[in-house]
Coordinates of all heavy atoms in Angstrom, one line a residue:
M1313 N 25.6 33.7 -8.7 CA 25.7 32.3 -8.7 C 25.7 31.9 -10.2 O 25.1 32.5 -11.0 CB 24.7 31.6 -8.0 CG 24.1 30.3 -8.5 SD 22.8 29.7 -7.6 CE 22.8 30.6 -6.1
E1314 N 26.4 30.8 -10.5 CA 26.5 30.4 -11.9 C 25.2 29.7 -12.3 O 24.8 28.7 -11.6 CB 27.6 29.5 -12.1 CG 28.2 29.4 -13.6 CD 29.5 28.7 -13.6 OE1 30.4 29.1 -12.8 OE2 29.7 27.8 -14.4
P1315 N 24.5 30.0 -13.4 CA 23.4 29.3 -13.9 C 23.8 27.8 -14.1 O 24.8 27.5 -14.8 CB 23.0 30.0 -15.3 CG 23.6 31.3 -15.1 CD 24.8 31.2 -14.3
G1316 N 23.0 27.0 -13.6 CA 23.3 25.5 -13.8 C 22.6 24.8 -14.9 O 22.2 25.5 -15.9
S1317 N 22.4 23.5 -14.8 CA 21.8 22.8 -15.9 C 20.3 23.0 -15.8 O 19.6 22.4 -15.1 CB 22.1 21.3 -15.8 OG 23.5 21.1 -15.8
G1318 N 19.8 23.9 -16.6 CA 18.4 24.1 -16.7 C 17.7 23.0 -17.4 O 18.2 22.2 -18.0
P1319 N 16.3 23.1 -17.3 CA 15.5 22.1 -18.0 C 15.6 22.2 -19.6 O 15.9 23.2 -20.2 CB 14.1 22.4 -17.6 CG 14.2 23.2 -16.4 CD 15.5 24.0 -16.5
T1320 N 15.4 21.1 -20.1 CA 15.4 21.0 -21.6 C 14.0 20.4 -22.1 O 13.3 19.9 -21.2 CB 16.5 20.1 -22.1 OG1 16.3 18.8 -21.6 CG2 18.0 20.6 -21.8
H1329 N 22.0 15.7 -15.6 CA 22.3 16.3 -14.4 C 21.2 17.4 -14.1 O 21.1 18.2 -15.0 CB 23.6 16.7 -14.2 CG 24.7 15.7 -14.5 ND1 24.8 14.6 -13.8 CD2 25.7 15.8 -15.5 CE1 25.8 13.9 -14.3 NE2 26.3 14.5 -15.3
G1330 N 20.6 17.5 -13.0 CA 19.6 18.5 -12.8 C 18.3 18.0 -13.1 O 17.9 16.8 -12.9
S1331 N 17.4 18.9 -13.7 CA 16.0 18.5 -14.1 C 15.9 18.3 -15.6 O 16.5 18.9 -16.3 CB 15.1 19.6 -13.6 OG 15.1 19.8 -12.2
L1332 N 14.9 17.6 -15.9 CA 14.6 17.3 -17.3 C 13.1 17.7 -17.5 O 12.3 17.2 -16.8 CB 14.9 15.9 -17.7 CG 14.6 15.4 -19.1 CD1 15.5 16.1 -20.1 CD2 14.7 13.9 -19.2
V1333 N 12.8 18.4 -18.6 CA 11.5 18.7 -18.9 C 11.2 18.1 -20.2 O 11.9 18.4 -21.2 CB 11.2 20.3 -19.0 CG1 9.8 20.6 -19.5 CG2 11.6 20.9 -17.6
L1343 N 8.0 17.3 -15.7 CA 9.4 17.4 -15.0 C 9.8 16.1 -14.5 O 9.2 15.5 -13.7 CB 9.3 18.5 -13.8 CG 10.4 19.6 -13.8 CD1 9.9 20.7 -14.7 CD2 10.6 20.0 -12.4
L1441 N 25.9 23.0 -6.2 CA 26.1 23.0 -7.6 C 27.0 21.8 -8.0 O 26.7 21.0 -8.9 CB 26.6 24.3 -8.1 CG 25.5 25.5 -8.2 CD1 26.3 26.7 -8.5 CD2 24.4 25.1 -9.3
G1444 N 25.4 18.5 -7.9 CA 24.4 18.2 -8.9 C 23.1 18.9 -8.8 O 22.2 18.6 -9.5
V1445 N 23.0 19.8 -7.8 CA 21.8 20.6 -7.6 C 21.6 21.7 -8.6 O 22.5 22.6 -8.6 CB 21.6 21.2 -6.2 CG1 20.4 22.0 -6.0 CG2 21.7 20.1 -5.2
P1446 N 20.6 21.7 -9.5 CA 20.6 22.8 -10.5 C 20.2 24.1 -9.9 O 19.5 24.1 -8.7 CB 19.5 22.4 -11.6 CG 18.7 21.4 -10.7 CD 19.6 20.7 -9.7
T1447 N 20.4 25.2 -10.5 CA 20.1 26.5 -9.9 C 18.6 26.7 -9.7 O 18.2 27.4 -8.7 CB 20.6 27.7 -10.7 OG1 20.1 27.5 -12.1 CG2 22.1 27.7 -10.9
V1448 N 17.8 26.2 -10.5 CA 16.4 26.3 -10.3 C 15.9 25.6 -9.2 O 14.7 25.9 -8.7 CB 15.5 25.8 -11.7 CG1 15.9 26.6 -12.8 CG2 15.8 24.3 -11.9
R1449 N 16.7 24.7 -8.5 CA 16.3 24.0 -7.3 C 17.0 24.5 -6.1 O 17.0 23.9 -5.0 CB 16.4 22.5 -7.5 CG 15.5 21.8 -8.5 CD 15.7 20.4 -8.5 NE 14.7 19.7 -9.4 CZ 13.5 19.4 -9.1 NH1 13.1 19.6 -7.9 NH2 12.7 18.8 -9.9
M1450 N 17.8 25.6 -6.2 CA 18.6 26.0 -5.2 C 17.9 26.9 -4.2 O 17.3 27.9 -4.6 CB 19.8 26.8 -5.7 CG 20.9 27.1 -4.7 SD 21.9 25.6 -4.4 CE 22.7 25.3 -5.9
P1451 N 17.8 26.7 -2.9 CA 17.3 27.6 -1.9 C 18.0 28.9 -1.9 O 19.1 29.0 -2.4 CB 17.3 26.8 -0.6 CG 17.5 25.4 -1.0 CD 18.3 25.5 -2.3
S1452 N 17.5 29.9 -1.1 CA 18.2 31.1 -1.1 C 18.7 31.5 0.3 O 19.7 32.1 0.4 CB 17.3 32.2 -1.5 OG 16.1 32.3 -0.6
L1460 N 19.3 21.4 2.8 CA 19.5 20.6 1.5 C 20.8 19.9 1.5 O 20.9 18.7 1.1 CB 19.3 21.5 0.2 CG 19.4 20.8 -1.1 CD1 18.3 19.7 -1.3 CD2 19.1 21.9 -2.2
L1947 N 10.2 28.0 -22.6 CA 11.2 27.2 -21.8 C 12.4 26.9 -22.7 O 13.5 27.0 -22.2 CB 10.5 26.0 -21.2 CG 9.7 26.2 -19.9 CD1 9.0 24.8 -19.6 CD2 10.6 26.5 -18.8
A1950 N 14.4 30.0 -22.9 CA 15.0 30.3 -21.6 C 16.2 29.3 -21.4 O 17.3 29.8 -20.8 CB 14.1 30.1 -20.4
K1951 N 16.1 28.1 -21.8 CA 17.2 27.1 -21.7 C 18.3 27.5 -22.5 O 19.5 27.5 -22.1 CB 16.7 25.7 -22.1 CG 17.8 24.7 -22.3 CD 18.5 24.3 -21.0 CE 19.6 23.3 -21.3 NZ 20.3 23.0 -20.1
D1954 N 20.1 30.2 -20.8 CA 20.6 29.9 -19.4 C 19.8 30.9 -18.5 O 20.5 31.4 -17.5 CB 22.1 30.0 -19.2 CG 22.7 28.6 -19.4 OD1 21.9 27.6 -19.5 OD2 23.9 28.5 -19.6
S1955 N 18.6 31.3 -18.8 CA 17.9 32.3 -17.9 C 16.9 31.6 -17.0 O 15.9 31.2 -17.4 CB 17.2 33.2 -18.8 OG 16.4 34.1 -18.0
T1956 N 17.4 31.3 -15.7 CA 16.6 30.6 -14.8 C 15.4 31.4 -14.4 O 14.3 30.8 -14.1 CB 17.4 30.3 -13.5 OG1 17.9 31.5 -12.9 CG2 18.6 29.3 -13.8
H1957 N 15.4 32.7 -14.4 CA 14.3 33.5 -14.1 C 13.2 33.4 -15.1 O 12.0 33.2 -14.7 CB 14.7 35.0 -13.9 CG 13.6 35.9 -13.5 ND1 13.1 36.0 -12.2 CD2 12.7 36.7 -14.2 CE1 12.2 36.8 -12.0 NE2 11.8 37.3 -13.2
Y1958 N 13.5 33.5 -16.4 CA 12.5 33.2 -17.4 C 11.8 31.8 -17.4 O 10.7 31.7 -17.6 CB 13.0 33.5 -18.8 CG 13.4 35.0 -19.1 CD1 14.1 35.4 -20.2 CD2 13.0 36.1 -18.2 CE1 14.5 36.7 -20.4 CE2 13.3 37.3 -18.3 CZ 14.0 37.7 -19.5 OH 14.4 39.1 -19.6
Q1959 N 12.7 30.9 -17.0 CA 12.3 29.6 -16.9 C 11.1 29.6 -15.7 O 10.1 28.9 -15.7 CB 13.3 28.5 -16.5 CG 14.2 28.3 -17.7 CD 15.4 27.4 -17.2 OE1 15.2 26.4 -16.6 NE2 16.6 27.8 -17.6
A1960 N 11.5 30.2 -14.6 CA 10.6 30.3 -13.4 C 9.2 30.8 -13.8 O 8.3 30.3 -13.3 CB 11.3 31.1 -12.3
E1961 N 9.2 31.9 -14.6 CA 7.9 32.5 -15.0 C 7.1 31.5 -15.7 O 5.9 31.3 -15.5 CB 8.2 33.7 -15.8 CG 8.8 34.9 -15.1 CD 8.9 36.1 -16.0 OE1 9.1 36.0 -17.2 OE2 8.9 37.2 -15.3
Y1963 N 7.5 28.1 -15.5 CA 7.0 27.1 -14.5 C 5.9 27.4 -13.7 O 5.0 26.6 -13.5 CB 8.3 26.8 -13.5 CG 9.3 26.0 -14.1 CD1 10.7 26.3 -13.8 CD2 9.2 24.9 -14.9 CE1 11.7 25.6 -14.2 CE2 10.2 24.2 -15.4 CZ 11.5 24.5 -15.1 OH 12.5 23.8 -15.7
E1981 N 5.4 20.3 -8.2 CA 6.7 20.3 -8.7 C 7.0 21.6 -9.5 O 8.1 22.2 -9.4 CB 6.9 19.1 -9.6 CG 8.4 18.8 -9.9 CD 8.6 17.3 -10.3 OE1 7.6 16.6 -10.5 OE2 9.8 17.0 -10.5
Y1982 N 6.1 22.0 -10.4 CA 6.4 23.3 -11.2 C 6.5 24.4 -10.3 O 7.4 25.3 -10.4 CB 5.2 23.4 -12.1 CG 5.2 22.6 -13.3 CD1 4.1 21.8 -13.7 CD2 6.3 22.3 -14.1 CE1 4.1 21.0 -14.8 CE2 6.3 21.6 -15.2 CZ 5.2 20.8 -15.5 OH 5.2 19.9 -16.6
W1983 N 5.6 24.6 -9.3 CA 5.5 25.7 -8.4 C 6.8 25.7 -7.5 O 7.4 26.8 -7.2 CB 4.3 25.7 -7.5 CG 3.2 26.2 -8.4 CD1 3.1 27.0 -9.5 CD2 1.8 25.8 -8.0 NE1 1.7 27.2 -9.8 CE2 0.9 26.5 -8.9 CE3 1.1 25.2 -7.0 CZ2 -0.5 26.4 -9.0 CZ3 -0.3 25.0 -7.0 CH2 -1.0 25.7 -8.0
S1984 N 7.2 24.5 -7.1 CA 8.4 24.4 -6.3 C 9.7 24.9 -7.1 O 10.6 25.6 -6.5 CB 8.8 23.0 -5.9 OG 7.7 22.5 -5.0
A1985 N 9.7 24.5 -8.4 CA 10.9 25.0 -9.2 C 10.9 26.4 -9.4 O 11.9 27.1 -9.3 CB 10.7 24.4 -10.7
A1986 N 9.7 27.1 -9.6 CA 9.6 28.5 -9.6 C 10.0 29.2 -8.4 O 10.7 30.2 -8.3 CB 8.2 28.9 -10.1
H1987 N 9.5 28.6 -7.2 CA 9.8 29.2 -5.9 C 11.2 29.3 -5.7 O 11.7 30.3 -5.1 CB 9.0 28.3 -4.9 CG 9.1 28.9 -3.5 ND1 10.2 28.6 -2.7 CD2 8.4 29.9 -2.8 CE1 10.0 29.2 -1.5 NE2 9.1 30.0 -1.6
R1988 N 12.0 28.2 -6.0 CA 13.4 28.2 -5.7 C 14.1 29.3 -6.4 O 15.0 30.1 -5.9 CB 14.1 26.9 -6.1 CG 13.6 25.7 -5.2 CD 14.3 24.5 -5.6 NE 13.6 23.3 -4.8 CZ 12.8 22.5 -5.3 NH1 12.3 22.5 -6.6 NH2 12.3 21.5 -4.5
V1989 N 13.8 29.6 -7.7 CA 14.4 30.6 -8.5 C 14.1 32.0 -7.8 O 14.9 32.9 -7.7 CB 14.0 30.6 -9.9 CG1 14.6 31.8 -10.7 CG2 14.4 29.3 -10.5
Y1990 N 12.8 32.2 -7.6 CA 12.3 33.5 -7.0 C 13.0 33.8 -5.6 O 13.3 35.0 -5.3 CB 10.8 33.5 -6.9 CG 10.1 33.7 -8.2 CD1 8.8 32.9 -8.4 CD2 10.6 34.4 -9.3 CE1 8.2 33.0 -9.6 CE2 9.9 34.5 -10.5 CZ 8.7 33.8 -10.6 OH 8.1 33.8 -11.8
S1991 N 13.2 32.8 -4.9 CA 13.8 32.9 -3.5 C 15.2 33.3 -3.6 O 15.7 34.2 -2.9 CB 13.6 31.6 -2.7 OG 12.3 31.3 -2.5
I1992 N 16.0 32.7 -4.5 CA 17.4 33.0 -4.7 C 17.5 34.5 -5.0 O 18.4 35.2 -4.4 CB 18.0 32.1 -5.7 CG1 18.1 30.7 -5.4 CG2 19.4 32.7 -6.2 CD1 18.4 29.8 -6.6

Side-chain angles (χ1 to χ4, degrees):
M1313 145 189 340
E1314 198 169 317
S1317 302
T1320 57
H1329 305 301
S1331 299
L1332 176 68
V1333 177
L1343 230 82
L1441 284 170
V1445 178
T1447 54
V1448 295
R1449 293 183 175 273
M1450 193 73 66
S1452 60
L1460 181 58
L1947 278 172
K1951 168 67 177 178
D1954 269 346
S1955 174
T1956 55
H1957 184 81
Y1958 291 170
Q1959 292 176 45
E1961 292 185 330
Y1963 283 142
E1981 194 162 4
Y1982 287 130
W1983 286 335
S1984 295
H1987 183 269
R1988 293 184 186 100
V1989 177
Y1990 290 143
S1991 297
I1992 291 168

